[in-house]
Amino acid sequence: MYEKSALSECELVTMRCVWNLGKNATAFNVINMLAEDYGMVYKETTVYTFLKKLKEKGFLDTFRKGVTYYVPKVEEETYQKEMAKKLLRFWYKGDVTQAVEAVVEGEKISRREARKIRDAVRSCCE
C-alpha cells in the first residue's frame, strides 16, 4: 500500500509523467516530459531523487530491461479521487455544494457539462 500523504508539486508532476508515459517511463523520458510538457528543467540527479521518493512512498515500482523502467503502483484516477475527497473534507468540511460552487464560480460551463454534473449528483442520491 502506498502512503496516502499528499505528494509535493514536483513529485506529483513527476508521477503524472509516469502515468502519461505508461510502459515507456524511464528516467530519461520523464526528464524530457517534465521539460517539454511542464517547463520544469531539472538535473538528472534531481529527477532520480523524485522517482526514488515516489518508489519509497509506494507510488512506483521498477524493473530493469537494459534501463530502469518505472511502473505506477497507484492508478491516477484512484489518487485523484482520494485527493478530491481530502480537499472536500479539509476546505469545505464535506459540503459538496460549497465545493462545486467554488469550482464553477466565474467559469463558463456548457449545458452538456452542467447536465453531466446534475446527472452525477442524481446518481449519488438514488
Side-chain angles (χ1 to χ4, degrees), residues 14 27-28 31 34 41-53 70:
T14 301
F28 178 77
I31 290 166
L34 284 168
V41 180
Y42 295 107
K43 292 180 182 178
E44 285 182 31
T45 55
T46 303
V47 175
Y48 280 111
T49 299
F50 296 155
L51 293 166
K52 179 182 172 196
K53 286 184 179 184
Y70 296 88

Side-chain angles (χ1 to χ4, degrees), residues 13-110:
V13 177
T14 301
M15 193 64 210
R16 172 153 262 189
C17 291
V18 174
W19 282 318
N20 290 340
L21 288 164
K23 295 177 183 177
N24 298 315
T26 65
F28 178 77
N29 292 341
V30 170
I31 290 166
N32 287 335
M33 185 175 274
L34 284 168
E36 292 172 11
D37 293 3
Y38 298 99
M40 302 172 91
V41 180
Y42 295 107
K43 292 180 182 178
E44 285 182 31
T45 55
T46 303
V47 175
Y48 280 111
T49 299
F50 296 155
L51 293 166
K52 179 182 172 196
K53 286 184 179 184
L54 287 165
K55 185 173 180 180
E56 289 170 356
K57 289 182 176 184
F59 281 84
L60 294 176
D61 206 353
T62 57
F63 71 91
R64 285 191 58 82
K65 197 172 186 180
V67 297
T68 301
Y69 288 87
Y70 296 88
V71 181
K73 289 178 70 174
V74 177
E75 294 294 323
E76 183 176 16
E77 186 177 337
T78 300
Y79 187 72
Q80 285 175 348
K81 287 179 180 179
E82 287 180 8
M83 290 302 102
K85 288 176 183 179
K86 187 174 181 179
L87 178 94
L88 178 66
R89 286 190 306 272
F90 182 81
W91 289 108
Y92 304 103
K93 296 178 179 50
D95 186 333
V96 175
T97 303
Q98 190 179 30
V100 171
E101 287 173 349
V103 170
V104 299
E105 183 180 330
E107 297 291 324
K108 293 261 187 196
I109 62 170
S110 68

Side-chain angles (χ1 to χ4, degrees), residues 115-126:
R115 222 178 355 261
K116 285 176 75 174
I117 292 168
R118 184 190 65 225
D119 292 347
V121 170
R122 280 186 181 155
S123 71
C124 293
C125 298
E126 295 173 353

